[in-house]
Amino acid sequence: MASKITQPAVRPKDDITNRLIGAFNRLISQGVLRPGTKLPPEREMAPRFGVSRSSLRHALKALENMGILYQRVGDGTYLRESSEGILSRPLELLILLDGISASELLETRLIVEPELAARAAERATSPDLDSLNRTIREMHKERDQQKLTELDIAFHQGIFVASGNRLSQRIFPIIQRAMLKSIAITSTLVDADHTLSFHKPIYDAIYKRRPAEARQKMIDHLEDARGLLAKAGERAQPTSLLDSFQSIG
Amino acid sequence: MASKITQPAVRPKDDITNRLIGAFNRLISQGVLRPGTKLPPEREMAPRFGVSRSSLRHALKALENMGILYQRVGDGTYLRESSEGILSRPLELLILLDGISASELLETRLIVEPELAARAAERATSPDLDSLNRTIREMHKERDQQKLTELDIAFHQGIFVASGNRLSQRIFPIIQRAMLKSIAITSTLVDADHTLSFHKPIYDAIYKRRPAEARQKMIDHLEDARGLLAKAGERAQPTSLLDSFQSIG
DNA sequence: TCGTAACATTGGGATGACCAATTTTGGGAA
DNA sequence: TTCCCAAAATTGGTCATCCCAATGTTACGA
């Protein structure tokens, strides 16, 4: 009886696996290992680190799962090109485990995106504006439902980028992706013109460098989306990578 | 030559490890495995899943590293009590790898926290208010520098909770933690009264249910912090769990 | 009753063998 | 010479075993 009341300890253990993971992280962050690098074969690396192949593999598996690198049988181990994606698995998992609903996700966007739109109005570069404008123009002539959804998402991503806040560029696209299914469903309730009638004023405000206006127009847009979501009856569950896993259980 | 132009594929591979990870995630999200559960010994689980112990260990290692569970030698494997913490490692890693500075972290807070304060003013429950109030009262009589920093952080966490947005409660405390070192440094530039002179108006606005005021007071607070950070000369680097790792490299 | 030593259990790590996917090599045909 | 394809080498994926060290349990003795 009397199991540990001690909390699990958030800090990583000091076992070989974690030390290897730390070693890789340091090597990468120090620039010793550049993104895209092909690492030596496991059978070579293991002795070089002074560990067994299995221990090394534990670490590599964890790193692969974190999105730091990927392995291909018969080929080798490669560092991923960007740190983008490191967050997606854990964040989607968190959303899944906590059972966070689409409306909660939308609320989070409502907290963040208006302010990001305002920042975008202050800082957007020419390429940023071009990119935003392009999604709008393409949306005009696009008919395919799925591509329209992609363009919708691209517009918002464009604002994340234009806001100039790198952390936001990493975090919030994932939240948006997580409600992909919801976006798809709600967008069947309206046509592209409806979406455009919200995107355009946002773009205009950003283009004209009017932060307050951009903020408000984004609020209008997301509040409208909230209405649509309610109408859709929350049928949609959060999308997750995890759905794709097989049996075994 | 001619290596794959194909992008690394964001989706997980279909190897045993990943299937096991998926299986666990599903079992947990479906409630079959409850948080805190003690799992069977590896030597039992492996045959039950129809895999070898080493493969199972790969998956468990990855899951442990993700913060889903933890293992103790001689004891066993336990699911973590909450999904809290799943994000911390990857998010900190992202900050480290992208070299995101303290001022960028602060800017992210500036994007988010004012709005969260406003929501808190709309929704804070009595316990929420009590909790916020307590951090203020304790800050009054606390002298220890480190504990003051903790109380500072606790106040902001309290607002995250009071905002009622669960996803924010998960994400933003980590960002705050990531700039722990910076907070500690800037707080040596001022005394507790200085911090309190900002916290109190925020609390009052929340208590009096004045969202707009809460939003503005939070902006004032963080803008002041930005000034302090600039004065501190950005000496501080982001804090990271990763710092603690040993050599091996 | 309490402490402690012996024992059992459990995760940590190493090794070696074999499989399967992929790339590389080299020879043969056009 | 150029191109195609089969054989060989390379590489990650998986498994089976062995031993160690940390922890928990049990039972004995003061």
Side-chain angles (χ1 to χ4, degrees), chain A residues 8-9 13 15 18-19 21-22 25-26 49 57-58 61 64-66 68 70-71 80 83 89-90 93-94 98-99 104 107-108 119 123 165-166 170 244-247, chain B residues 8-9 11 13 15 18-19 21-22 25-26 58 61 64-66 68 70-71 80 83 89-90 93-94 98-99 104 107-108 123 165-166 170 242 245-248:
Chain A
K13 268 183 309 193
D15 57 9
N18 279 308
R19 267 186 289 182
I21 292 174
N25 287 339
R26 256 184 300 105
F49 278 114
R57 272 175 69 60
H58 280 311
K61 268 296 168 199
E64 181 180 33
N65 216 275
M66 279 194 258
I68 309 272
Y70 63 96
Q71 298 189 290
R80 289 210 183 261
S83 45
R89 299 262 266 143
L93 183 60
L94 177 70
D98 276 3
E104 280 181 284
E107 203 210 39
T108 308
R119 308 259 160 176
R123 304 179 186 166
N165 187 278
R166 289 191 293 161
R170 300 290 193 210
S244 61
F245 286 112
Q246 301 302 327
S247 53
Chain B
R11 293 190 97 74
K13 267 181 311 192
D15 58 8
N18 279 309
R19 268 188 287 181
I21 292 174
N25 287 338
R26 254 185 301 106
H58 281 310
K61 268 294 169 200
E64 181 180 33
N65 215 275
M66 279 194 258
I68 308 274
Y70 63 96
Q71 299 190 291
R80 291 212 182 257
S83 45
R89 297 262 267 144
L93 183 60
L94 178 69
D98 277 3
E104 280 181 284
E107 203 211 36
T108 308
R123 305 179 184 167
N165 187 277
R166 289 190 294 161
R170 300 289 192 210
L242 307 170
F245 287 110
Q246 302 300 329
S247 51
I248 269 201

Coordinates of all heavy atoms in Angstrom, one line a residue, chain A residues 8-9 13 15 18-19 21-22 25-26 49 57-58 61 64-66 68 70-71 80 83 89-90 93-94 98-99 104 107-108 119 123 165-166 170 244-247, chain B residues 8-9 11 13 15 18-19 21-22 25-26 58 61 64-66 68 70-71 80 83 89-90 93-94 98-99 104 107-108 123 165-166 170 242 245-248:
Chain A
P8 N 5.2 13.1 -9.5 CA 6.0 12.4 -10.5 C 7.3 13.1 -11.0 O 8.1 12.5 -11.7 CB 5.0 12.4 -11.8 CG 3.7 12.3 -11.1 CD 3.8 13.1 -9.9
A9 N 7.5 14.3 -10.5 CA 8.7 15.0 -10.9 C 8.7 15.4 -12.4 O 8.8 14.5 -13.3 CB 10.0 14.2 -10.6
K13 N 14.4 12.3 -16.1 CA 15.3 11.5 -15.3 C 16.7 11.6 -15.8 O 16.9 12.2 -16.9 CB 14.9 10.0 -15.4 CG 13.9 9.6 -14.4 CD 13.6 8.1 -14.5 CE 13.1 7.8 -15.9 NZ 12.5 6.4 -16.0
D15 N 18.7 9.3 -17.0 CA 19.1 8.0 -17.6 C 19.8 8.3 -18.9 O 19.8 9.4 -19.4 CB 17.9 7.1 -17.7 CG 16.8 7.7 -18.5 OD1 17.0 8.8 -19.1 OD2 15.7 7.1 -18.6
N18 N 17.7 10.1 -21.7 CA 17.5 11.5 -21.6 C 18.8 12.3 -21.8 O 18.7 13.4 -22.3 CB 16.9 11.8 -20.2 CG 15.4 11.6 -20.2 OD1 14.7 12.1 -21.1 ND2 14.9 10.8 -19.3
R19 N 19.9 11.7 -21.4 CA 21.1 12.4 -21.6 C 21.4 12.5 -23.1 O 21.9 13.5 -23.6 CB 22.3 11.8 -20.8 CG 22.5 12.4 -19.5 CD 23.7 11.8 -18.8 NE 23.4 10.5 -18.3 CZ 24.3 9.8 -17.7 NH1 25.5 10.3 -17.3 NH2 24.1 8.5 -17.3
I21 N 19.2 12.5 -25.5 CA 18.3 13.5 -26.0 C 18.8 14.9 -25.8 O 18.8 15.8 -26.6 CB 16.9 13.3 -25.4 CG1 16.3 12.0 -25.8 CG2 15.9 14.5 -25.7 CD1 15.0 11.7 -25.2
G22 N 19.2 15.1 -24.5 CA 19.8 16.4 -24.2 C 21.0 16.7 -25.1 O 21.2 17.9 -25.5
N25 N 19.9 17.8 -28.4 CA 19.3 19.1 -28.4 C 20.3 20.2 -28.3 O 20.3 21.2 -29.0 CB 18.3 19.2 -27.2 CG 17.1 18.4 -27.4 OD1 16.7 18.1 -28.5 ND2 16.4 18.1 -26.3
R26 N 21.4 19.9 -27.5 CA 22.4 20.9 -27.4 C 23.2 21.0 -28.7 O 23.5 22.1 -29.2 CB 23.4 20.5 -26.3 CG 23.1 21.4 -25.0 CD 24.1 21.1 -23.9 NE 24.0 19.8 -23.5 CZ 24.9 18.8 -23.8 NH1 26.0 19.1 -24.5 NH2 24.8 17.6 -23.3
F49 N 29.0 7.5 -29.0 CA 28.5 8.1 -27.8 C 28.8 7.2 -26.6 O 28.5 7.6 -25.5 CB 26.9 8.2 -27.9 CG 26.5 9.4 -28.7 CD1 25.9 9.3 -29.9 CD2 26.7 10.7 -28.2 CE1 25.4 10.5 -30.6 CE2 26.3 11.9 -28.8 CZ 25.7 11.7 -30.1
R57 N 18.9 4.0 -29.8 CA 17.6 3.9 -30.5 C 16.4 4.4 -29.6 O 15.5 5.1 -30.1 CB 17.3 2.5 -30.9 CG 17.9 2.1 -32.3 CD 17.7 0.7 -32.6 NE 16.3 0.3 -32.9 CZ 15.6 0.9 -33.9 NH1 16.0 1.9 -34.6 NH2 14.3 0.5 -34.1
H58 N 16.5 4.2 -28.3 CA 15.5 4.8 -27.4 C 15.4 6.3 -27.6 O 14.4 6.9 -27.8 CB 15.8 4.5 -26.0 CG 15.4 3.1 -25.5 ND1 14.2 2.6 -25.7 CD2 16.1 2.2 -24.8 CE1 14.1 1.4 -25.2 NE2 15.3 1.1 -24.7
K61 N 14.2 7.3 -31.1 CA 12.8 7.1 -31.2 C 12.0 8.3 -30.6 O 11.1 8.8 -31.1 CB 12.4 5.8 -30.5 CG 12.3 4.6 -31.4 CD 11.3 4.8 -32.5 CE 11.4 3.7 -33.6 NZ 10.7 4.2 -34.8
E64 N 12.5 11.3 -32.7 CA 11.6 11.2 -33.9 C 10.2 11.5 -33.6 O 9.5 12.2 -34.3 CB 11.7 9.8 -34.5 CG 10.9 9.6 -35.8 CD 10.9 8.2 -36.3 OE1 11.0 7.3 -35.6 OE2 10.9 8.1 -37.6
N65 N 9.8 11.0 -32.4 CA 8.4 11.2 -32.0 C 8.1 12.7 -31.7 O 7.0 13.2 -31.8 CB 8.1 10.3 -30.8 CG 6.6 9.9 -30.9 OD1 5.7 10.5 -30.5 ND2 6.4 8.7 -31.5
M66 N 9.2 13.4 -31.2 CA 9.1 14.8 -30.9 C 9.1 15.6 -32.2 O 8.8 16.8 -32.1 CB 10.3 15.2 -30.0 CG 10.1 14.9 -28.6 SD 11.3 15.8 -27.6 CE 12.5 14.6 -27.3
I68 N 11.8 16.0 -34.1 CA 13.2 16.6 -34.2 C 13.9 16.0 -35.4 O 14.6 16.6 -36.1 CB 14.1 16.4 -33.0 CG1 13.3 16.8 -31.7 CG2 15.4 17.1 -33.2 CD1 13.5 18.2 -31.4
Y70 N 13.8 12.3 -38.3 CA 13.0 11.2 -38.9 C 13.9 10.1 -39.4 O 15.1 10.4 -39.7 CB 12.0 11.6 -39.9 CG 12.7 12.2 -41.2 CD1 12.9 11.4 -42.3 CD2 13.1 13.5 -41.2 CE1 13.6 11.9 -43.4 CE2 13.7 14.1 -42.3 CZ 13.9 13.2 -43.4 OH 14.5 13.8 -44.5
Q71 N 13.5 8.9 -39.4 CA 14.3 7.8 -39.8 C 13.6 7.1 -40.9 O 12.4 6.9 -41.0 CB 14.6 6.8 -38.6 CG 15.3 7.5 -37.5 CD 15.8 6.5 -36.5 OE1 14.9 5.9 -35.7 NE2 17.0 6.3 -36.4
R80 N 15.2 17.1 -39.0 CA 14.2 17.8 -39.8 C 14.7 19.2 -40.2 O 15.5 19.8 -39.5 CB 12.9 17.9 -39.0 CG 12.2 16.5 -38.8 CD 10.7 16.7 -38.7 NE 10.1 15.4 -38.5 CZ 9.5 14.7 -39.5 NH1 9.4 15.2 -40.7 NH2 8.9 13.6 -39.2
S83 N 12.1 23.5 -37.0 CA 11.6 23.1 -35.7 C 10.0 23.2 -35.7 O 9.4 22.8 -34.8 CB 12.1 24.0 -34.6 OG 12.0 25.4 -35.1
R89 N 2.4 17.5 -32.5 CA 2.0 16.2 -31.9 C 1.5 16.4 -30.4 O 0.4 16.1 -30.0 CB 3.1 15.2 -31.9 CG 3.4 14.8 -33.3 CD 2.8 13.5 -33.8 NE 3.6 12.4 -33.5 CZ 3.2 11.2 -33.1 NH1 1.9 11.0 -32.8 NH2 4.0 10.2 -33.0
P90 N 2.4 17.0 -29.6 CA 2.0 17.2 -28.2 C 0.8 18.1 -28.0 O -0.1 17.8 -27.2 CB 3.2 17.9 -27.5 CG 4.2 18.1 -28.6 CD 3.8 17.5 -29.8
L93 N -2.2 16.2 -29.0 CA -2.5 15.2 -27.9 C -3.1 15.8 -26.7 O -4.1 15.3 -26.2 CB -1.2 14.5 -27.5 CG -1.2 13.4 -26.5 CD1 -2.1 12.3 -27.1 CD2 0.1 12.9 -26.2
L94 N -2.6 17.0 -26.4 CA -3.2 17.7 -25.2 C -4.7 18.0 -25.4 O -5.5 17.8 -24.6 CB -2.4 19.0 -25.0 CG -2.9 19.9 -23.9 CD1 -2.7 19.2 -22.5 CD2 -2.3 21.3 -23.9
D98 N -7.4 16.3 -23.1 CA -8.2 17.2 -22.2 C -9.6 17.3 -22.8 O -10.5 17.9 -22.1 CB -7.6 18.6 -22.2 CG -6.5 18.7 -21.1 OD1 -6.2 17.6 -20.5 OD2 -6.0 19.8 -20.9
G99 N -9.9 16.7 -23.9 CA -11.2 16.8 -24.5 C -11.6 18.2 -24.8 O -12.8 18.6 -24.5
E104 N -14.1 25.7 -27.7 CA -13.0 26.2 -26.9 C -11.8 26.6 -27.7 O -11.1 27.5 -27.4 CB -12.6 25.1 -25.8 CG -13.5 25.0 -24.6 CD -13.1 24.0 -23.7 OE1 -13.3 22.8 -24.0 OE2 -12.5 24.3 -22.6
E107 N -12.5 29.8 -29.1 CA -12.4 30.9 -28.2 C -10.9 31.3 -28.0 O -10.6 32.5 -27.9 CB -13.0 30.5 -26.8 CG -13.3 31.7 -26.0 CD -13.2 31.5 -24.5 OE1 -12.3 30.8 -24.1 OE2 -14.1 32.0 -23.8
T108 N -10.1 30.3 -28.0 CA -8.7 30.6 -27.9 C -8.2 31.5 -29.1 O -7.5 32.4 -28.9 CB -7.8 29.3 -27.9 OG1 -8.4 28.5 -26.9 CG2 -6.4 29.6 -27.6
R119 N -1.3 43.6 -34.8 CA 0.1 43.7 -34.9 C 0.5 43.6 -36.4 O 1.4 44.3 -36.9 CB 0.8 42.5 -34.2 CG 0.5 42.4 -32.8 CD 1.5 42.9 -31.9 NE 0.9 43.2 -30.6 CZ 1.6 43.6 -29.5 NH1 2.9 43.9 -29.6 NH2 0.9 43.8 -28.4
R123 N 2.9 45.9 -38.8 CA 4.2 45.5 -39.2 C 4.3 44.7 -40.5 O 5.4 44.4 -41.0 CB 4.8 44.5 -38.2 CG 4.9 45.0 -36.8 CD 5.5 43.9 -35.9 NE 5.5 44.3 -34.5 CZ 5.7 43.4 -33.5 NH1 5.8 42.1 -33.8 NH2 5.7 43.8 -32.3
N165 N 5.4 37.9 -34.9 CA 5.7 37.2 -33.6 C 6.0 35.7 -33.9 O 5.0 34.9 -34.2 CB 4.6 37.3 -32.6 CG 4.9 36.8 -31.3 OD1 4.8 35.6 -31.0 ND2 5.4 37.6 -30.4
R166 N 7.2 35.3 -33.8 CA 7.6 34.0 -34.2 C 6.9 32.9 -33.4 O 6.5 31.8 -34.0 CB 9.1 33.8 -34.1 CG 9.8 34.6 -35.2 CD 11.3 34.2 -35.3 NE 12.0 34.6 -34.0 CZ 13.1 34.0 -33.6 NH1 13.7 33.1 -34.4 NH2 13.7 34.5 -32.5
R170 N 4.3 29.6 -34.6 CA 4.4 28.2 -34.3 C 3.2 27.6 -33.6 O 2.8 26.5 -33.9 CB 5.6 28.0 -33.3 CG 6.9 28.5 -33.9 CD 7.4 27.6 -35.0 NE 8.8 27.8 -35.4 CZ 9.2 27.6 -36.6 NH1 8.4 27.2 -37.6 NH2 10.5 27.8 -36.8
S244 N -5.1 8.3 -36.9 CA -4.6 7.4 -37.9 C -4.0 6.1 -37.4 O -3.7 5.2 -38.2 CB -3.6 8.1 -38.8 OG -2.5 8.5 -38.0
F245 N -3.9 5.9 -36.1 CA -3.2 4.8 -35.6 C -4.0 3.5 -35.7 O -5.2 3.5 -35.7 CB -2.8 5.0 -34.2 CG -1.6 5.9 -34.0 CD1 -1.8 7.2 -33.5 CD2 -0.4 5.6 -34.5 CE1 -0.8 8.1 -33.4 CE2 0.7 6.5 -34.4 CZ 0.5 7.7 -33.8
Q246 N -3.3 2.4 -35.8 CA -3.9 1.1 -36.0 C -4.3 0.5 -34.7 O -4.2 1.1 -33.6 CB -2.9 0.2 -36.8 CG -2.5 0.7 -38.1 CD -3.7 0.9 -39.0 OE1 -4.7 0.2 -38.9 NE2 -3.7 2.0 -39.9
S247 N -4.6 -0.8 -34.8 CA -5.1 -1.5 -33.6 C -4.1 -1.7 -32.5 O -3.9 -0.9 -31.7 CB -5.6 -2.9 -34.1 OG -4.6 -3.5 -34.8
Chain B
P8 N 9.8 15.2 -45.4 CA 9.9 14.2 -44.3 C 8.6 13.5 -43.9 O 8.7 12.6 -43.1 CB 10.5 15.0 -43.2 CG 11.3 16.0 -43.9 CD 10.6 16.4 -45.1
A9 N 7.5 14.0 -44.3 CA 6.2 13.4 -43.9 C 6.0 13.7 -42.4 O 6.7 13.2 -41.5 CB 6.2 11.9 -44.1
R11 N 3.3 13.0 -40.7 CA 2.6 11.9 -40.1 C 3.5 10.8 -39.6 O 4.5 10.5 -40.2 CB 1.6 11.2 -41.1 CG 0.5 12.1 -41.5 CD -0.6 11.3 -42.2 NE -1.7 10.9 -41.4 CZ -2.6 11.7 -41.0 NH1 -2.6 13.0 -41.3 NH2 -3.6 11.3 -40.3
K13 N 5.3 7.3 -38.7 CA 5.5 6.1 -39.4 C 4.6 5.0 -38.9 O 3.9 5.2 -37.9 CB 6.9 5.6 -39.3 CG 7.8 6.1 -40.4 CD 9.2 5.5 -40.2 CE 9.7 5.8 -38.7 NZ 11.2 5.5 -38.6
D15 N 5.4 2.1 -37.7 CA 6.1 1.0 -37.1 C 5.5 0.7 -35.7 O 4.6 1.3 -35.3 CB 7.6 1.4 -36.9 CG 7.8 2.7 -36.1 OD1 6.7 3.2 -35.6 OD2 8.9 3.2 -36.0
N18 N 5.3 3.4 -33.0 CA 4.3 4.4 -33.1 C 2.9 3.9 -33.0 O 2.0 4.6 -32.5 CB 4.4 5.1 -34.5 CG 5.5 6.1 -34.5 OD1 5.5 7.0 -33.7 ND2 6.4 6.0 -35.5
R19 N 2.7 2.6 -33.3 CA 1.4 2.0 -33.1 C 1.1 1.9 -31.6 O 0.0 2.0 -31.2 CB 1.3 0.7 -33.9 CG 0.7 0.9 -35.3 CD 0.4 -0.4 -35.9 NE 1.6 -1.1 -36.3 CZ 1.7 -2.3 -37.0 NH1 0.5 -2.9 -37.3 NH2 2.8 -2.8 -37.3
I21 N 2.4 3.7 -29.3 CA 2.1 5.1 -28.8 C 0.7 5.5 -29.0 O 0.0 6.0 -28.2 CB 3.1 6.1 -29.4 CG1 4.5 5.8 -28.9 CG2 2.7 7.5 -29.1 CD1 5.6 6.6 -29.6
G22 N 0.2 5.2 -30.3 CA -1.1 5.5 -30.6 C -2.1 4.7 -29.8 O -3.1 5.3 -29.3
N25 N -2.3 6.3 -26.4 CA -3.1 7.5 -26.5 C -4.6 7.3 -26.6 O -5.4 8.0 -25.9 CB -2.6 8.4 -27.7 CG -1.2 9.0 -27.4 OD1 -0.8 9.1 -26.3 ND2 -0.6 9.3 -28.5
R26 N -4.9 6.3 -27.4 CA -6.4 6.0 -27.5 C -6.9 5.5 -26.2 O -8.0 5.9 -25.8 CB -6.6 5.0 -28.7 CG -7.2 5.7 -29.9 CD -7.5 4.7 -31.0 NE -6.4 4.0 -31.4 CZ -6.1 2.7 -31.1 NH1 -7.0 2.0 -30.4 NH2 -5.1 2.1 -31.6
H58 N 10.7 1.0 -26.2 CA 10.9 2.2 -27.1 C 9.6 3.1 -26.9 O 9.8 4.3 -26.8 CB 11.0 1.8 -28.6 CG 12.3 1.3 -29.0 ND1 13.5 2.0 -28.7 CD2 12.7 0.2 -29.6 CE1 14.5 1.3 -29.2 NE2 14.0 0.2 -29.7
K61 N 9.4 4.7 -23.5 CA 10.4 5.8 -23.4 C 9.9 7.1 -24.0 O 10.0 8.2 -23.5 CB 11.7 5.4 -24.1 CG 12.7 4.7 -23.1 CD 13.2 5.7 -22.1 CE 14.0 5.0 -21.0 NZ 14.1 5.9 -19.8
E64 N 7.2 8.5 -22.0 CA 7.7 9.1 -20.8 C 8.3 10.5 -21.2 O 8.0 11.5 -20.5 CB 8.8 8.3 -20.2 CG 9.4 8.9 -18.9 CD 10.4 8.0 -18.3 OE1 11.2 7.4 -19.0 OE2 10.5 8.0 -17.1
N65 N 9.0 10.5 -22.3 CA 9.6 11.8 -22.7 C 8.5 12.8 -23.1 O 8.7 14.0 -23.0 CB 10.5 11.5 -23.9 CG 11.7 12.4 -23.8 OD1 11.6 13.6 -24.3 ND2 12.8 12.0 -23.2
M66 N 7.4 12.3 -23.5 CA 6.3 13.2 -23.9 C 5.6 13.8 -22.6 O 4.8 14.7 -22.7 CB 5.3 12.5 -24.8 CG 5.7 12.4 -26.2 SD 4.3 12.0 -27.2 CE 4.6 10.3 -27.5
I68 N 3.6 11.8 -20.8 CA 2.4 11.0 -20.6 C 2.4 10.1 -19.4 O 1.5 9.9 -18.7 CB 2.1 10.1 -21.8 CG1 2.2 11.0 -23.1 CG2 0.7 9.5 -21.7 CD1 0.9 11.7 -23.5
Y70 N 5.4 8.1 -16.4 CA 6.8 8.1 -15.9 C 7.1 6.7 -15.3 O 6.2 6.0 -15.0 CB 7.0 9.2 -14.8 CG 6.1 8.9 -13.6 CD1 6.6 8.3 -12.4 CD2 4.8 9.4 -13.5 CE1 5.8 8.1 -11.3 CE2 4.0 9.2 -12.5 CZ 4.5 8.6 -11.3 OH 3.7 8.4 -10.2
Q71 N 8.4 6.4 -15.3 CA 8.8 5.1 -14.8 C 9.7 5.2 -13.7 O 10.6 6.1 -13.7 CB 9.4 4.3 -16.0 CG 8.5 4.1 -17.2 CD 9.1 3.1 -18.2 OE1 10.0 3.4 -18.9 NE2 8.5 1.9 -18.3
R80 N 0.7 9.7 -15.8 CA 0.7 11.0 -15.1 C -0.7 11.4 -14.7 O -1.6 11.0 -15.4 CB 1.4 12.0 -15.9 CG 2.9 11.8 -16.1 CD 3.7 13.1 -16.1 NE 5.1 12.9 -16.3 CZ 6.0 13.0 -15.4 NH1 5.6 13.3 -14.1 NH2 7.3 12.8 -15.6
S83 N -2.5 15.9 -17.9 CA -1.9 16.1 -19.2 C -1.0 17.4 -19.2 O -0.3 17.7 -20.1 CB -2.9 16.2 -20.3 OG -4.0 17.1 -19.9
R89 N 8.1 20.4 -22.4 CA 9.3 20.0 -23.0 C 9.4 20.5 -24.5 O 10.3 21.2 -24.8 CB 9.5 18.5 -23.0 CG 9.7 18.0 -21.5 CD 11.1 17.8 -21.1 NE 11.6 16.4 -21.4 CZ 12.8 16.1 -21.8 NH1 13.6 17.1 -22.0 NH2 13.1 14.9 -21.9
P90 N 8.4 20.1 -25.3 CA 8.5 20.6 -26.7 C 8.5 22.1 -26.8 O 9.2 22.6 -27.7 CB 7.2 20.0 -27.3 CG 6.5 19.2 -26.3 CD 7.3 19.3 -25.0
L93 N 11.8 23.4 -25.9 CA 12.7 23.0 -26.9 C 12.6 23.9 -28.1 O 13.6 24.4 -28.7 CB 12.5 21.6 -27.3 CG 13.4 21.0 -28.3 CD1 14.9 21.1 -27.8 CD2 13.1 19.6 -28.7
L94 N 11.3 24.2 -28.5 CA 11.1 25.1 -29.7 C 11.7 26.5 -29.4 O 12.4 27.0 -30.3 CB 9.6 25.2 -29.9 CG 9.2 26.1 -31.0 CD1 9.5 25.5 -32.3 CD2 7.7 26.4 -31.0
D98 N 14.7 27.7 -31.8 CA 14.4 28.9 -32.6 C 15.1 30.1 -32.1 O 15.1 31.2 -32.7 CB 12.9 29.2 -32.7 CG 12.2 28.4 -33.7 OD1 12.9 27.5 -34.4 OD2 11.0 28.5 -33.9
G99 N 15.8 29.9 -30.9 CA 16.5 31.1 -30.3 C 15.6 32.3 -30.1 O 15.9 33.4 -30.3
E104 N 10.9 38.6 -27.1 CA 9.9 38.0 -27.9 C 8.9 37.2 -27.1 O 7.7 37.2 -27.4 CB 10.5 37.1 -29.0 CG 11.1 37.8 -30.2 CD 11.7 36.8 -31.2 OE1 12.8 36.3 -30.9 OE2 11.1 36.5 -32.2
E107 N 6.7 39.7 -25.7 CA 5.7 40.2 -26.6 C 4.5 39.3 -26.8 O 3.4 39.7 -26.9 CB 6.4 40.5 -28.0 CG 5.6 41.5 -28.8 CD 5.7 41.2 -30.3 OE1 5.7 40.1 -30.7 OE2 5.7 42.2 -31.0
T108 N 4.8 38.0 -26.8 CA 3.8 37.0 -26.9 C 2.8 37.2 -25.7 O 1.6 37.1 -25.9 CB 4.3 35.6 -26.9 OG1 5.3 35.5 -27.9 CG2 3.2 34.6 -27.2
R123 N -15.4 36.4 -16.0 CA -15.8 35.1 -15.5 C -15.2 34.6 -14.2 O -15.6 33.5 -13.7 CB -15.3 34.0 -16.6 CG -15.8 34.3 -18.0 CD -15.2 33.2 -18.8 NE -15.5 33.4 -20.2 CZ -14.9 32.7 -21.2 NH1 -14.0 31.9 -20.9 NH2 -15.3 32.9 -22.5
N165 N -10.3 29.7 -19.9 CA -9.9 29.1 -21.2 C -8.8 28.0 -20.9 O -7.7 28.3 -20.6 CB -9.4 30.1 -22.2 CG -9.1 29.5 -23.5 OD1 -8.1 28.9 -23.7 ND2 -10.1 29.6 -24.4
R166 N -9.2 26.8 -21.0 CA -8.4 25.7 -20.6 C -7.1 25.6 -21.4 O -6.0 25.3 -20.9 CB -9.1 24.3 -20.7 CG -10.2 24.2 -19.6 CD -10.7 22.8 -19.5 NE -11.4 22.5 -20.8 CZ -11.6 21.2 -21.2 NH1 -11.2 20.2 -20.5 NH2 -12.3 21.0 -22.3
R170 N -2.9 25.9 -20.2 CA -1.9 24.9 -20.5 C -0.7 25.6 -21.2 O 0.5 25.3 -20.9 CB -2.4 23.8 -21.5 CG -3.5 23.0 -20.9 CD -3.0 22.1 -19.8 NE -4.1 21.2 -19.5 CZ -4.2 20.7 -18.3 NH1 -3.4 21.1 -17.3 NH2 -5.1 19.8 -18.0
L242 N 16.4 21.9 -20.5 CA 17.4 21.2 -21.2 C 18.8 21.6 -20.6 O 19.8 20.9 -20.9 CB 17.4 21.6 -22.7 CG 16.0 21.4 -23.3 CD1 16.0 22.0 -24.7 CD2 15.7 19.9 -23.4
F245 N 21.0 18.9 -18.7 CA 21.6 17.6 -19.2 C 23.1 17.6 -19.1 O 23.8 18.6 -19.1 CB 21.2 17.4 -20.6 CG 19.7 17.0 -20.7 CD1 18.8 17.9 -21.3 CD2 19.3 15.8 -20.3 CE1 17.5 17.6 -21.4 CE2 18.0 15.5 -20.3 CZ 17.1 16.4 -20.9
Q246 N 23.6 16.4 -19.0 CA 25.0 16.1 -18.8 C 25.7 16.1 -20.1 O 25.2 16.4 -21.2 CB 25.2 14.8 -18.0 CG 24.6 14.8 -16.7 CD 25.1 15.9 -15.8 OE1 26.2 16.3 -15.9 NE2 24.2 16.5 -14.9
S247 N 27.0 15.6 -20.0 CA 27.8 15.6 -21.2 C 27.4 14.6 -22.3 O 26.5 14.9 -23.1 CB 29.2 15.2 -20.7 OG 29.2 14.1 -20.0
I248 N 28.0 13.5 -22.3 CA 27.8 12.5 -23.3 C 28.2 12.9 -24.7 O 28.9 12.2 -25.5 CB 26.3 12.0 -23.4 CG1 26.1 10.8 -22.5 CG2 25.9 11.6 -24.8 CD1 25.0 9.9 -22.8

